[in-house]
Amino acid sequence: MRVAVTVDDREPAGLVEAVRSHADVSAVAVDRLAAGDLVIGSVAVERKTPRDYVNGVMGRAGPDLHDQLERLAASYDHPYVLLEGDFTDLDTMRTSIDPAAIRGSMASITARQAVPVIPCTDRRRLVDFAIRLGRKHAEEPSRRPLPVGSVPSRREPTTKQMYGCIEGIGPELAATLYEAYPTVAELVEASVSDLERIDGIGETRARAIHTAFHDSGQY
């Protein structure tokens, strides 16, 4: 499935070219958007560098991120914030703000404003992930039945459900993983060796989990 993408005309030319060069993009329009930086159907993406994110969420410089997200959520069915840059940049930036507080703000926005904040390591991966989001929201859900008990119940927290969808991770291990890493942001920081320390997770499963959240080709 290919999708049409609208890019805000204030975004850099490099972003427009990255969108145009994606194999799953059928058309690209560059226009002034009232909210968001990339729009694909009902999906809107606010693109932030780690520094832009910190400045916006802490109200230090530039637009207030919370105000931006309120407009985004009011205008589109599926709003997202994608961070363009290495996630470890949050720990190395010269700022007086505790990196843990920054990660906490990401979890807070995801949980309380219902706008997922997702780190993407570079522009290519950000564009690829945004387009995959657009496709997934537009496509009909797969009709292939899943084995009973293959993923956690819909009554479980969304994060635990996500963990249960990783190849080789069923409900029990998803619960164990959720206890160790209750937010995706925390799991993204974990190394393969960190994951291997969890009961029931060996090297193969640890690598599968790590790949699922660091390889854009997985979803």
Side-chain angles (χ1 to χ4, degrees), residues 46-197:
E46 183 71 33
R47 182 186 71 91
K48 295 290 185 186
T49 66
R51 184 169 296 279
D52 287 341
Y53 174 82
V54 171
N55 287 338
V57 79
M58 300 302 175
R60 290 193 158 193
D64 182 272
L65 181 60
H66 297 287
D67 289 343
Q68 287 182 302
L69 298 188
E70 285 182 5
R71 293 197 303 272
L72 201 66
S75 302
Y76 298 95
D77 293 335
H78 306 292
Y80 292 88
V81 175
L82 301 187
L83 301 184
E84 182 185 310
D86 192 330
F87 189 74
T88 58
D89 289 350
L90 294 175
D91 290 328
T92 59
M93 287 190 326
R94 294 180 180 176
T95 175
S96 60
I97 303 169
D98 186 345
I102 298 172
R103 293 190 291 274
S105 74
M106 296 166 65
S108 178
I109 289 171
T110 298
R112 295 177 181 171
Q113 291 190 249
V115 181
V117 181
I118 303 170
C120 300
T121 53
D122 55 35
R123 181 169 294 171
R124 179 184 64 82
R125 288 176 183 268
L126 181 146
V127 168
D128 182 71
F129 195 73
I131 290 166
R132 289 173 186 274
L133 287 170
R135 288 177 51 196
K136 294 299 181 184
H137 281 292
E139 289 173 349
E140 288 292 330
S142 172
R143 298 183 183 277
R144 183 178 61 186
L146 293 171
V148 175
S150 60
V151 296
S153 163
R154 289 181 180 273
R155 294 188 295 273
E156 298 284 6
T158 300
T159 302
K160 189 188 290 188
Q161 292 183 49
M162 290 175 62
Y163 294 169
C165 292
I166 301 171
E167 184 176 356
I169 305 298
E172 291 185 7
L173 275 181
T176 301
L177 192 59
Y178 180 71
E179 288 179 6
Y181 301 102
T183 69
V184 172
E186 291 174 299
L187 181 58
V188 167
E189 287 195 305
S191 65
V192 172
S193 59
D194 290 333
L195 295 168
E196 286 184 73
R197 296 189 185 100

Side-chain angles (χ1 to χ4, degrees), residues 3-17:
V3 295
V5 183
T6 300
V7 183
D8 188 81
D9 62 8
R10 290 162 290 192
E11 290 299 289
L15 180 68
V16 178
E17 290 308 309

